[in-house]
Amino acid sequence: MRREPRQQHVEPRVLSRGRRRTRPVWTTGLVVGAVTAGLLGGISPATAKPAPDDLRKTLSLPSPPGGDDVRVLVFHASATEESPVVDAGIEAIETIGRTGPVATRFTIEATDDASVFTKPRLGRFNAVVFLTGGGDVLDADQEAGLEAYVEAGGGFLGLYDAARTEPYSDWFGGLIGARPAKTNPTAVQRAVVEVGDRRHPATKSLPLEWKRPDKWLNWETNPSGTVHTVARVRESSYRPGTGANGADHPVSWCRDYDGGRSFYTAMGGTADSYQETDFRAHLRGALHWTTRLVRADCRAAIDAHYTAERLTRPNQPGRNDQIGEPHGLVTAKDGRVFYIGRGGADSSRPVVTDWNDPEIGKGQGEIHIWDPKTHQVSLAGSLTVFGNKGGGDELVKNEEGLLGIELDPRFEDNGWVYLHYTPHARIDRNTRTAQRYVSRFTLNHATGKLDLSSEKVLLTWPVQIHSCCHAGGGMAWDSKDNLYIATGDNNSSQFSGGYSGNNPEPHYKGLSFADARRTAGNTNNLNGKILRIHPEQDGTYTLPEGNLFTGEETAEGGGKTRGEIYVMGVRNPARIAVDPATDTLYAGWVGPDAGAPSTTWGPAKYDTFAAITQAGNHGWPYCMGNKQPYRDRNLPDPAKPLGWYDCDAPKNESPHNDGLVNLPPVTGNTIWYSPQGGAPDFPRDANGVPSYRQEEGTYLLPWLKGGGQATMNGPVYRFDESSTSTVKWPSYWDGKWFVGDFYDQDQPRHAVLTDPKTVGKGGLPVHAENLKKIIPVGADGIRNLMDWKFGPDGALYLLDYGRGFFTSDAKSALWRVTYKGGPATPAAEDVVRKETVR
């Protein structure tokens, strides 16, 4: 409820171009008395102010002017007498206006006289800056004048305490975007500002991690998703006090509001702020947008501008006519989406688990196509695979099957489709082993069917199938037409207490199934790796330079290497992606099962994401996270802990190792998370071994948490300026890496930014943005994320696995998330100086 209009006992003044006079003193008694009178008066906004349309007619208020006459009004009512902050703010804004390129210059006037908002001269200004000290500074008519000004296309910039101004006005609260919490830190503290918007003129020139002192406000309600946040403050870098907002703490934002443009920054609470070069750059960009000197996108991070649409229907009973057991997708240049089913069937089909039965584990790995022209689904083909054993314990269930799909870089011409799968025809029931294939097939463009007789087998290697799990499966291309193939460690999750999968004892007919040193940690084994090959026209492949090994390395005792290995030491990399702009490889893999760290055995389960810029060893089963070691174990008593692994010089001393003993040093990973939080770290002793005491843990990525967790790596988005698509995601997301989890509770579903200086070297992400309201979660949303990629139309395509394991169900679906926020604002024809349109 607004208070009644009060008489202002001040002489009206307009201060031209920053030259200021002494301001009147507002006493505490006057302000409190006025507010109290307003509360007692009981006048609602509807009765206290005239309609903006009526006021606009009364004032003959035009849209803000253009051409050379660009003006900014700085309003500073309710600040204390001779406030250093106001003085510094006016001086900074005046300097910004008269410096820089002529095309972006403007003049300013400053005043603390609120009657300016009821006078026709308000229409002379392109933008209004509130450099106010808080409180109720506008009467009903004046607020109506400001509202009419904004509706007419005016710009607004609020600085720091402006968020406390007009506390009884819902409209002004919407203009600002958020209100401060009742309690806030009052001391000046140095903190890290994460600059997530790399395109907006207010932030594009700022450091990714901007370290600066200020007084940091907390918010009653977090505005993220209702405003376009351009920067956030990292609460772990200072003491946020009572009312802290957590990992997502917006500090600067903007949006198109009620016909005009609004930008607010909670920075600028000290006079010294306005002397900072970077803070002035921040203000300059904000002023250029609010005055209509430049265009900018202030819609991209607002949740309501995205639409999630389910593209497939539930399968007909007993049929996988729409979708199989979702396991991966890829998009063609013509917009078709190819997606695969691993091999599980609906509950009407029998699951054979008896090893004496030749049909054991037999399933159909299906390739479906969704056509954007018809919005219909067709079945392109299916492969008979091993991998339909259903659920159960480690010695029953299985994750083999149709695991990955990629289209040839020249698919439109040659129709070549690459599939990563486990053919049922190649299993050995006696030894309980199988062969994994990467094969090339040809799709008939006319019929939309896969020619199974066209198969060219590029690569094959053995896998054990006595025990579950970790098949991997993802594939991706780089710009040089090298094909990356992700393989799991082919190792049981049990038998190690949920810590390092390094138990050499369990085996079937001599083949170990619980020792990942046989696979992921073995330089002579293709499991637990990311392979890199160059497919040739004749169905063979060559090895590109720069892989981890050449295949020619040997050591005393016969240990050797495989030249296909690009990355070793990964556990279950189901999804990988290559950034087409940089050729950086992005991968994620699931960790072991331990729910807490152990001072005996090492870290808890860490699910991992890594940005990979060169061949390397990423640690499993020796080290995880930021080079945190596990304890070694060996025969004759694997229950007895031995020494800690040396992450800088790991050795593979497993009895099942047929590769090199001395391994490449471990490379730290980019993101890791556990049930306790994101990026756990611990104090280390003189030998570099972490304490692993849970109470001593710190969490370097507070936006992350696990529990039931299974990483689902996503793409890096690249904005296509030339695309005419009306659904493409905006340029705001360009260069951001999408990381997610199969589950949808506290686990990640974020877009992150990495620092180019540290990416690939174990550097942490510098910024993360939650996507859970853009990509809906929950029972009727995308609850079990299985894969996600951007299509050529710039929309995001996603697979929801469904609500069961090793099957497809009514929730298994292909989804699409599109953007409808529109172009940057103001409209190109409304930019006041045409040569500055961007």
Side-chain angles (χ1 to χ4, degrees):
M1 183 179 294
R2 274 192 59 82
R3 64 174 180 81
E4 292 179 313
R6 60 176 168 80
Q7 296 297 318
Q8 298 192 41
H9 303 287
V10 296
E11 292 297 322
R13 296 175 295 109
V14 175
L15 296 159
S16 178
R17 304 188 66 176
R19 301 187 181 277
R20 306 179 53 251
R21 303 174 187 166
T22 301
R23 296 192 308 278
V25 177
W26 289 97
T27 66
T28 303
L30 177 61
V31 174
V32 172
V35 171
T36 303
L39 291 173
L40 295 176
I43 299 177
S44 70
T47 58
K49 65 181 182 181
D53 287 343
D54 295 337
L55 187 68
R56 188 180 295 108
K57 293 175 183 176
T58 301
L59 301 180
S60 300
L61 188 69
S63 294
D68 294 330
D69 187 20
V70 177
R71 300 187 184 196
V72 173
L73 175 67
V74 180
F75 179 61
H76 55 83
S78 77
T80 58
E81 183 178 8
E82 290 303 291
S83 164
V85 172
V86 172
D87 290 340
I90 292 175
E91 189 277 328
I93 295 169
E94 182 183 33
T95 300
I96 291 167
R98 59 180 167 79
T99 58
V102 172
T104 56
R105 292 184 186 179
F106 54 85
T107 59
I108 81 164
E109 294 183 18
T111 185
D112 60 3
D113 179 8
S115 69
V116 69
F117 295 105
T118 58
K119 295 179 179 179
R121 62 187 302 274
L122 182 61
R124 299 166 55 199
F125 297 101
N126 292 68
V128 173
V129 178
F130 265 49
L131 189 58
T132 50
D136 201 6
V137 299
L138 305 178
D139 66 24
D141 289 347
Q142 292 157 359
E143 185 184 312
L146 177 62
E147 183 174 346
Y149 167 80
V150 172
E151 286 190 355
F156 173 87
L157 171 59
L159 302 175
Y160 193 66
D161 264 337
R164 305 184 197 276
T165 305
E166 296 298 280
Y168 307 110
S169 170
D170 290 341
W171 180 86
F172 190 85
L175 180 69
I176 287 290
R179 295 294 196 178
K182 293 180 179 179
T183 57
N184 279 284
T186 56
V188 175
Q189 301 183 69
R190 187 173 177 83
V192 175
V193 175
E194 300 175 3
V195 182
D197 191 329
R198 309 307 300 168
R199 295 296 186 100
H200 196 283
T203 49
K204 67 179 183 179
S205 66
L206 299 177
L208 276 169
E209 295 180 286
W210 182 17
K211 300 176 179 67
R212 61 175 310 275
D214 217 319
K215 298 176 182 178
W216 304 101
L217 300 176
N218 299 322
W219 307 111
E220 283 185 350
T221 301
N222 191 320
S224 284
T226 60
V227 298
H228 176 91
T229 302
V230 299
R232 292 169 168 84
V233 63
R234 186 181 299 163
E235 285 192 353
S236 61
S237 65
Y238 72 106
R239 295 181 300 279
T242 304
N245 293 115
D248 179 8
H249 188 142
V251 72
S252 294
W253 57 78
C254 59
R255 65 172 162 176
D256 298 277
Y257 185 75
D258 214 9
R261 292 158 313 288
S262 173
F263 194 104
Y264 172 77
T265 179
M267 296 181 283
T270 68
D272 289 343
S273 296
Y274 295 91
Q275 304 304 316
E276 296 176 28
T277 300
D278 283 338
F279 186 67
R280 287 195 176 192
H282 187 49
L283 293 183
R284 179 179 292 108
L287 285 161
H288 288 171
W289 178 65
T290 53
T291 56
R292 295 191 295 135
L293 283 165
V294 301
R295 304 178 72 200
D297 187 352
C298 283
R299 301 174 176 180
I302 295 176
D303 299 336
H305 293 155
Y306 295 84
T307 301
E309 172 191 11
R310 177 173 173 162
L311 300 178
T312 57
R313 302 183 302 273
N315 289 325
Q316 297 182 51
R319 297 177 56 193
N320 284 358
D321 59 296
Q322 291 283 304
I323 196 166
E325 178 195 355
H327 208 74
L329 69 86
V330 65
T331 60
K333 291 180 181 178
D334 63 6
R336 286 180 295 169
V337 182
F338 291 68
Y339 53 99
I340 59 173
R342 186 190 64 88
D346 64 31
S347 58
S348 68
R349 300 188 190 183
V351 174
V352 180
T353 60
D354 182 359
W355 281 101
N356 294 315
D357 190 329
E359 302 292 294
I360 183 172
K362 181 180 284 188
Q364 292 299 309
E366 295 156 324
I367 304 98
H368 286 88
I369 304 174
W370 178 82
D371 190 332
K373 296 178 181 177
T374 64
H375 284 224
Q376 298 299 309
V377 173
S378 60
L379 179 65
S382 64
L383 302 174
T384 303
V385 298
F386 177 83
N388 187 22
K389 288 185 67 184
D393 65 21
E394 295 290 295
L395 302 183
V396 175
K397 63 185 178 182
N398 198 278
E399 294 180 352
E400 299 291 327
L402 178 53
L403 304 171
I405 183 171
E406 259 299 345
L407 306 180
D408 191 84
R410 283 162 288 280
F411 168 75
E412 287 69 26
D413 298 323
N414 57 36
W416 290 347
V417 179
Y418 294 81
L419 297 175
H420 179 184
Y421 75 109
T422 312
H424 191 274
R426 294 298 308 276
I427 70 171
D428 185 327
R429 287 185 293 121
N430 177 46
T431 60
R432 300 187 183 178
T433 58
Q435 293 291 313
R436 190 80 63 73
Y437 275 32
V438 173
S439 291
R440 189 187 80 197
F441 296 84
T442 300
L443 184 86
N444 185 315
H445 283 305
T447 65
K449 300 297 182 182
L450 205 65
D451 180 0
L452 299 184
S453 67
S454 67
E455 181 175 15
K456 296 282 188 181
V457 180
L458 278 76
L459 181 62
T460 183
W461 66 96
V463 291
Q464 66 84 19
I465 54 175
H466 169 74
S467 172
C468 192
C469 289
H470 312 151
M475 298 191 290
W477 297 95
D478 67 16
S479 65
K480 299 177 181 178
D481 293 349
N482 295 316
L483 180 63
Y484 296 76
I485 304 158
T487 72
D489 72 355
N490 194 221
N491 209 54
S492 173
S493 296
Q494 295 182 1
F495 310 106
S496 61
Y499 295 97
S500 173
N502 60 356
N503 189 339
E505 196 166 58
H507 67 92
Y508 183 77
K509 293 191 174 181
L511 183 61
S512 166
F513 57 81
D515 187 359
R517 295 171 300 179
R518 177 184 70 85
T519 56
N522 183 349
T523 65
N524 196 33
N525 190 290
L526 297 187
N527 295 295
K529 308 295 194 300
I530 301 176
L531 314 176
R532 185 174 68 163
I533 63 174
H534 190 278
E536 302 297 336
Q537 294 286 314
D538 61 0
T540 63
Y541 68 89
T542 55
L543 296 179
E545 293 185 2
N547 281 356
L548 189 57
F549 306 110
T550 64
E552 302 298 323
E553 296 89 349
T554 58
E556 186 177 352
K560 58 181 182 178
T561 63
R562 288 292 299 263
E564 297 90 347
I565 298 171
Y566 183 68
V567 173
M568 68 178 293
V570 294
R571 189 170 181 266
N572 190 20
R575 302 290 167 261
I576 61 175
V578 175
D579 178 6
T582 65
D583 270 350
T584 298
L585 171 67
Y586 292 87
W589 52 92
V590 179
D593 297 331
S598 166
T599 56
T600 301
W601 292 110
K605 58 177 175 180
Y606 287 173
D607 277 37
T608 301
F609 295 100
I612 302 167
T613 56
Q614 61 183 2
N617 177 7
H618 281 259
W620 177 256
Y622 310 102
C623 304
M624 294 194 80
N626 56 343
K627 300 169 68 170
Q628 297 180 32
Y630 282 113
R631 203 74 169 266
D632 194 15
R633 68 173 96 212
N634 226 324
L635 297 174
D637 185 4
K640 179 181 178 181
L642 303 176
W644 295 97
Y645 291 122
D646 182 350
C647 300
D648 292 325
K651 292 180 179 290
N652 186 342
E653 297 178 316
S654 167
H656 306 298
N657 178 36
D658 61 355
L660 303 177
V661 172
N662 296 312
L663 306 179
V666 171
T667 298
N669 296 301
T670 313
I671 300 171
W672 64 99
Y673 58 103
S674 73
Q676 292 74 40
D681 198 17
F682 302 90
R684 305 200 183 210
D685 64 18
N687 296 317
V689 178
S691 71
Y692 294 123
R693 285 188 283 272
Q694 189 166 317
E695 66 275 12
E696 295 179 354
T698 57
Y699 300 92
L700 306 178
L701 296 175
W703 49 273
L704 265 172
K705 192 175 180 182
Q709 56 196 59
T711 55
M712 208 53 63
N713 181 68
V716 172
Y717 180 60
R718 290 299 174 185
F719 179 74
D720 183 358
E721 190 80 45
S722 64
S723 169
T724 59
S725 170
T726 59
V727 298
K728 66 182 178 183
W729 284 40
S731 62
Y732 169 78
W733 302 100
D734 185 73
K736 294 184 178 180
W737 172 24
F738 285 54
V739 298
D741 194 287
F742 179 82
Y743 299 99
D744 71 342
Q745 297 176 11
D746 296 327
Q747 297 80 3
R749 201 167 288 187
H750 288 74
V752 304
L753 276 174
T754 56
D755 187 340
K757 297 177 182 177
T758 62
V759 68
K761 303 174 184 177
L764 293 170
V766 296
H767 177 70
E769 189 163 348
N770 198 313
L771 296 167
K772 287 187 178 180
K773 290 186 179 179
I774 292 176
I775 301 171
V777 299
D780 294 320
I782 304 167
R783 186 174 183 179
N784 296 127
L785 178 63
M786 186 48 104
D787 199 2
W788 44 342
K789 290 183 174 71
F790 283 96
D793 58 356
L796 182 62
Y797 292 84
L798 309 95
L799 282 177
D800 186 342
Y801 183 81
R803 306 298 178 260
F805 285 103
F806 305 102
T807 185
S808 59
D809 68 14
K811 298 292 186 181
S812 300
L814 174 68
W815 288 71
R816 178 175 64 176
V817 180
T818 57
Y819 179 67
K820 295 289 188 180
T825 57
E829 62 270 18
D830 291 335
V831 176
V832 297
R833 293 177 183 155
K834 302 305 179 185
E835 64 269 24
T836 65
V837 175
R838 297 179 182 178

